[in-house]
Amino acid sequence: MAAGVATWLPFARAAAVGWLPLAKKTMPKPPVDKKSRNDEILFVNVSGLRFQTWKNTLDRYPDTLLGSSEKEFFFNEDTQEYFFDRDPEMFRHILNFYRTGKLHYPRQECIQAFDEELAFYGIVPDIIGDCCMEEYRDRKKENQERLAEDTEAEMATDTPLPPHSTSRERLWRAFENPHTSTMALVFYYVTGFFIAVSVIANVVETVPCRPLKGSKKDLPCGEKYSLAFFCMDTACVLIFTFEYLMRLFAAPSRCKFMRSVMSVIDVVAIMPYYIGLVMPENEDVSGAFVTLRVFRVFRIFKFSRHSQGLRILGYTLKSCASELGFLLFSLTMAIIIFATVMFYAEKGTKGTNFTSIPASFWYTIVTMTTLGYGDMVPNTIAGKIFGSICSLSGVLVIALPVPVIVSNFSRIYHQNQRADKMRAQQKVRLARIRLAKKGTTNAFLQYKEEGGFQFRESDSALCLKNRSSFEHQHHHLLHCLEKTTNHEFTDELTFSEMCMTESVGYRTSRSTSISSQQGVTTSCCPRRAKRRAIRLANSTVSVSRGSVQELDTLQVHKTSAGPQSRSSLNARTEDLKLNCEDRDFTAAIISIPTPPANTPDESLPPSPAIPGILRNSRSSFTHETVKISSL
Amino acid sequence: MGIQGMELFAIGVVIILFVAVLKQFGILEPMSLEDSSDSDLELSTVRHQPEGLEQLQAQTKFTKKELQSLYRGFKNECPSGLVDEETFKTIYSQFFPQGDATTYAHFLFNAFDLDRNGSIRFEDFVIGLSVLLRGSVTEKLNWAFNLYDINKDGYITKEEMLLIMKSIYDMMGRYTYPCVRDEAPSEHVEKFFQKMDRNRDGVVTIEEFIETCQKDENIMNSMQLFENVI
């Protein structure tokens, strides 16, 4: 119900007094209203812009955020106002909705931003007032279409095939997207070539060639070189038939494929040949056969698979069907009117061409489209006057639907352009996304490794590499995941190499890990770091963790600069004699090899040098170490 | 040849088209009727300001705050300060979506529109509310009588009552339990008249009405029900 109705409800209830004398039964008790009726002004602070409104105004819509008790979550005790960290410009419209009961859509705002604001405040977009509803719907539909296009473009065409696709699916993909494989491309061009050849042959075989020796009559080339043409036709038809059968076989949905326009064109293109083969050399039947050959010209439509422009034209015509229909209808009306008038105008003239109304149709059409062949001309004055009116109106009638068709064509064309641009940008975009993902993985790996670097007092540059608390927490999370699954994150390269060089890496990593054990007690961070660096450099053997289990301990040290704890991992520790005092944090990675199941001779106890190992950060004053087991 | 049939017609057509074109270009202005669409604009700019707050306080039994609150709501809905009958009907119908409340709203509108000028001003609105919510029993009954008395002649006839009753039943709509029969309004009217019409003269006067209602316990009790609406 509209907002104002709430205002009138007390009035309607009061007017119910009028029913009392008529009532057959006693009236029910009214509901008890415990709320205080006093209206108060509320303060709403949206990102610094202060709004004030009556409480009643907000209470009009109790199922929205502002109208219900949900807003209490945003109440700021200190300033005694409701604080929302949202867009203040949009809030204006939201508040106006409460005030007037009508939600307006601001035209200059992005539709998605608006929708998000509505969702946040719990307002259903359906109540947008009529004045703005159309604009809102249009923009929303446009946006959705664009998003759908994007996802389609993402998922379609250029994505690599799923690994276990059948030959049938591969074949279909080859047909639909020829640029995916060279074979498909070759086939694509070959069919294109043969379509062209077939069309040219059809055209050329009607051209008159020089007559055979001894006869005077000009023969069309088709009859002179009938065998050659027949062979060419056969070849083309064979190719087309083959292609059609292949497509039919590969199509995911055969019924749908058979009903599609392109397949119908294919069939119509090759049918005449086969019918011609089957047909006997009968005189009267061959007349019909000749007519059938006309259908061979449909082969030219097969080009639409090869040309996008043709397809766009086809879509345009399809989408403008109503305008074209209107054009046709109005033209027909005008033709009939003018033909009738001309006929009766010219009726008196002797030897006139306007023998009947249908005969006048020809004149009218020729005049309205401003062709003006001149084979039929009016002689009387009236006829001439009407003829001129006819040609003037013809121009108008034809010019009217043309802009609509043109605008449709332009829209579809631009859509296509955009799709192409999307595809081009797609690659860049995907590459960027991949890079970003790799970046975070690398940051994480680096983070783990770099702990060693932090021990070097001279290496202050690395210690000063500030990471935000967000990154710390993120890395902690990844650590936790690694712990949970007992697996470790690596990057692509190392993963692929690890798979290949598992056995080789075993030895090398063992050696590094054994030597690293010494590093635990003697602040061997530099050496450790070096080894780590070497390991990273020799990426072939860096992470052959299939055989060695290492325990990476991450220890974060917080200096006496107290309250600056940037991440929950920050902790004090006094045990390790670290000299990086003026740094906010350090990370130490101490590698402790623990025996895996299959190397019994490497039984090394967990290092006792790590005191007080805590899994989770409980307080910032105990040393906290986070163990990450790597496998 | 002289000018004949078709050609005459053709010439006539051409002359007419010529005149039309001239008119289009405004060169030839035939006597056109005064454009009456301008006058419509004026009506919508009519607005009404209510009397002062103190005066309304004197006329009604509402406190200042209540009047302020009422006026804010009223003005929000009708920025021009006037409610015309169509708007009133629309608003009232929203409370009764199942049935057709327009007829009853019409009667209600007439009951509120004290000076019968076709629109309810804020004074009418608030005075009516004051009677209904804060008035004495007699005043309320008076108001109800005024509602039933469609032509405001001081007598309720059976026809008037039947109209009122039908409009009330219309508000119920079709889907009721038990179904509203066609005779239900007239039966109800009969019962009403049996109760109210003391001297059996076929009309109910204000004295009969008030007297009967005061004797009826149910009605008296239910009069208190709507007092805390605001």
Side-chain angles (χ1 to χ4, degrees), chain A residues 234-255:
Chain A
T234 315
C236 295
V237 168
L238 277 178
I239 300 260
F240 296 153
T241 322
F242 174 70
E243 184 203 353
Y244 180 71
L245 290 175
M246 281 288 109
R247 275 185 203 263
L248 193 61
F249 165 67
S253 155
R254 300 223 167 95
C255 289

Side-chain angles (χ1 to χ4, degrees), chain A residues 4-5 11 18-19 22 26 99, chain B residues 76-77 94 104 112 148 188:
Chain A
V5 177
F11 162 78
W19 302 336
L22 307 174
T26 49
R99 291 183 184 135
Chain B
N76 205 28
E77 285 317 297
Q94 284 178 330
Y104 187 70
F112 269 89
Y148 303 145
H188 202 153

Side-chain angles (χ1 to χ4, degrees), chain A residues 149-223:
Chain A
E149 271 175 33
D150 284 356
T151 47
E152 251 184 56
E154 264 182 44
M155 294 193 304
T157 66
D158 291 348
T159 57
L161 271 177
H164 305 292
S165 55
T166 65
S167 65
R168 187 175 156 186
E169 286 173 9
R170 275 203 294 260
L171 198 58
W172 182 247
R173 254 185 73 87
F175 274 127
E176 291 298 300
N177 310 303
H179 42 273
T180 47
S181 81
T182 11
M183 263 313 286
L185 209 57
V186 161
F187 188 69
Y188 176 76
Y189 282 124
V190 160
T191 39
F193 172 70
F194 271 99
I195 296 174
V197 159
S198 160
V199 168
I200 292 175
N202 277 348
V203 166
V204 166
E205 72 179 8
T206 58
V207 171
C209 281
R210 246 180 292 155
L212 296 166
K213 285 217 180 69
S215 102
K216 283 235 176 74
K217 205 168 60 146
D218 260 347
L219 272 182
C221 285
E223 288 178 24

Side-chain angles (χ1 to χ4, degrees), chain B:
Chain B
M1 287 195 265
I3 302 180
Q4 293 170 358
M6 261 324 259
E7 289 155 341
L8 199 59
F9 176 66
I11 292 169
V13 165
V14 168
I15 291 174
I16 291 173
L17 286 176
F18 191 62
V19 168
V21 165
L22 281 183
K23 206 156 67 164
Q24 193 63 33
F25 285 133
I27 299 172
L28 186 69
E29 268 178 13
M31 304 141 317
S32 59
L33 297 165
E34 187 60 46
D35 208 11
S36 59
S37 64
D38 290 337
S39 54
D40 284 343
L41 282 173
E42 290 177 19
L43 208 59
S44 60
T45 58
V46 166
R47 72 182 214 97
H48 172 78
Q49 278 175 320
E51 305 165 6
L53 206 48
E54 289 78 20
Q55 277 166 297
L56 280 177
Q57 253 186 301
Q59 284 175 331
T60 66
K61 299 201 179 72
F62 289 120
T63 68
K64 196 165 177 181
K65 269 202 170 346
E66 287 171 338
L67 282 173
Q68 280 178 333
S69 177
L70 278 172
Y71 186 65
R72 277 203 301 272
F74 185 81
K75 179 88 175 164
N76 205 28
E77 285 317 297
C78 316
S80 61
L82 295 168
V83 187
D84 62 338
E85 192 167 334
E86 282 312 307
T87 321
F88 186 82
K89 280 185 181 166
T90 322
I91 293 173
Y92 199 74
S93 305
Q94 284 178 330
F95 293 111
F96 304 99
Q98 306 95 333
D100 175 27
T102 46
T103 330
Y104 187 70
H106 167 74
F107 296 132
L108 209 51
F109 185 84
N110 286 337
F112 269 89
D113 187 12
L114 301 171
D115 47 3
R116 311 304 297 273
N117 62 349
S119 57
I120 298 183
R121 304 164 301 153
F122 180 63
E123 290 92 338
D124 304 331
F125 177 69
V126 101
I127 289 172
L129 271 185
S130 167
V131 164
L132 287 171
L133 300 175
R134 307 285 158 93
S136 67
V137 172
T138 324
E139 286 173 349
K140 290 182 191 173
L141 289 172
N142 240 326
W143 188 90
F145 185 86
N146 196 32
L147 171 68
Y148 303 145
D149 188 10
I150 297 177
N151 54 3
K152 316 286 179 227
D153 61 353
Y155 299 105
I156 305 179
T157 63
K158 273 201 182 157
E159 292 75 24
E160 288 175 338
M161 203 60 229
L162 190 59
L163 285 174
I164 299 265
M165 200 61 77
K166 272 213 190 113
S167 66
I168 292 181
Y169 274 89
D170 278 343
M171 283 199 287
M172 294 293 297
R174 281 183 51 209
Y175 303 109
T176 56
Y177 177 75
C179 278
V180 172
R181 295 162 301 135
D182 291 337
E183 313 82 41
S186 33
E187 280 176 10
H188 202 153
V189 168
E190 284 304 317
K191 273 209 213 100
F192 177 77
F193 263 77
Q194 270 174 8
K195 202 162 80 166
M196 298 282 167
D197 192 8
R198 288 301 160 95
N199 51 4
R200 304 268 173 257
D201 57 354
V203 293
V204 177
T205 62
I206 180 78
E207 295 85 15
E208 289 174 338
F209 183 70
I210 293 182
E211 210 188 304
T212 324
C213 286
Q214 277 174 337
K215 295 221 184 83
D216 188 332
E217 268 184 31
N218 272 343
I219 297 178
M220 284 296 110
N221 287 343
S222 50
M223 282 280 166
Q224 262 70 265
L225 281 177
F226 294 101
E227 277 182 0
N228 58 349
V229 164
I230 290 204

Side-chain angles (χ1 to χ4, degrees), chain A residues 110-125:
Chain A
C110 171
I111 183 82
Q112 262 194 316
F114 187 67
D115 266 346
E116 278 169 15
E117 291 295 313
L118 286 186
F120 179 81
Y121 290 108
I123 297 174
V124 180

Side-chain angles (χ1 to χ4, degrees), chain A residues 264-460:
Chain A
V264 166
I265 291 180
D266 287 340
V267 170
V268 167
I270 59 181
M271 263 308 140
Y273 178 80
Y274 289 112
I275 296 182
L277 280 185
V278 176
M279 198 105 72
E281 279 301 332
N282 206 341
E283 272 305 313
D284 15 305
V285 184
S286 65
F289 170 60
V290 165
T291 324
L292 268 182
R293 293 181 111 207
V294 164
F295 283 105
R296 289 188 306 169
V297 80
F298 272 87
R299 288 177 195 169
I300 208 173
F301 283 117
K302 287 166 69 74
F303 264 130
S304 67
R305 274 215 187 93
H306 298 251
S307 152
Q308 205 185 21
L310 260 183
R311 272 203 298 268
I312 294 179
L313 194 61
Y315 287 147
T316 312
L317 291 178
K318 203 161 60 161
S319 70
C320 304
S322 64
E323 278 80 32
L324 286 175
F326 164 68
L327 173 64
L328 220 59
F329 176 68
S330 57
L331 264 180
T332 316
M333 248 181 24
I335 287 172
I336 295 179
I337 291 175
F338 278 110
T340 316
V341 167
M342 290 307 294
F343 171 69
Y344 282 112
E346 290 287 307
K347 198 157 180 216
T349 320
K350 261 205 174 70
T352 183
N353 275 333
F354 294 82
T355 52
S356 66
I357 293 185
S360 313
F361 281 168
W362 174 242
Y363 168 76
T364 318
I365 292 176
V366 166
T367 313
M368 280 188 97
T369 52
T370 70
L371 276 176
Y373 287 134
D375 53 350
M376 287 165 82
V377 268
N379 290 41
T380 60
I381 298 179
K384 287 185 179 159
I385 292 177
F386 283 116
S388 37
I389 297 177
C390 174
S391 71
L392 288 174
S393 64
V395 169
L396 284 176
V397 167
I398 292 181
L400 282 176
V402 167
V404 178
I405 298 176
V406 164
S407 78
N408 262 350
F409 180 81
S410 144
R411 180 175 59 87
I412 296 179
Y413 180 70
H414 280 252
Q415 256 177 20
N416 251 293
Q417 294 290 77
R418 208 173 53 212
D420 287 343
K421 262 196 287 194
M422 277 283 155
R423 261 188 291 263
Q425 288 169 356
Q426 197 74 340
K427 301 206 167 133
V428 177
R429 225 173 1 160
L430 283 177
R432 225 189 7 230
I433 292 174
R434 265 198 299 266
L435 205 60
K437 277 197 202 151
K438 236 186 354 176
T440 48
T441 318
N442 282 347
F444 177 60
L445 294 174
Q446 217 180 10
Y447 186 48
K448 289 200 304 191
E449 319 265 331
E450 251 181 19
F453 293 144
Q454 307 299 333
F455 274 117
R456 286 173 63 87
E457 49 196 277
S458 57
D459 212 340
S460 54

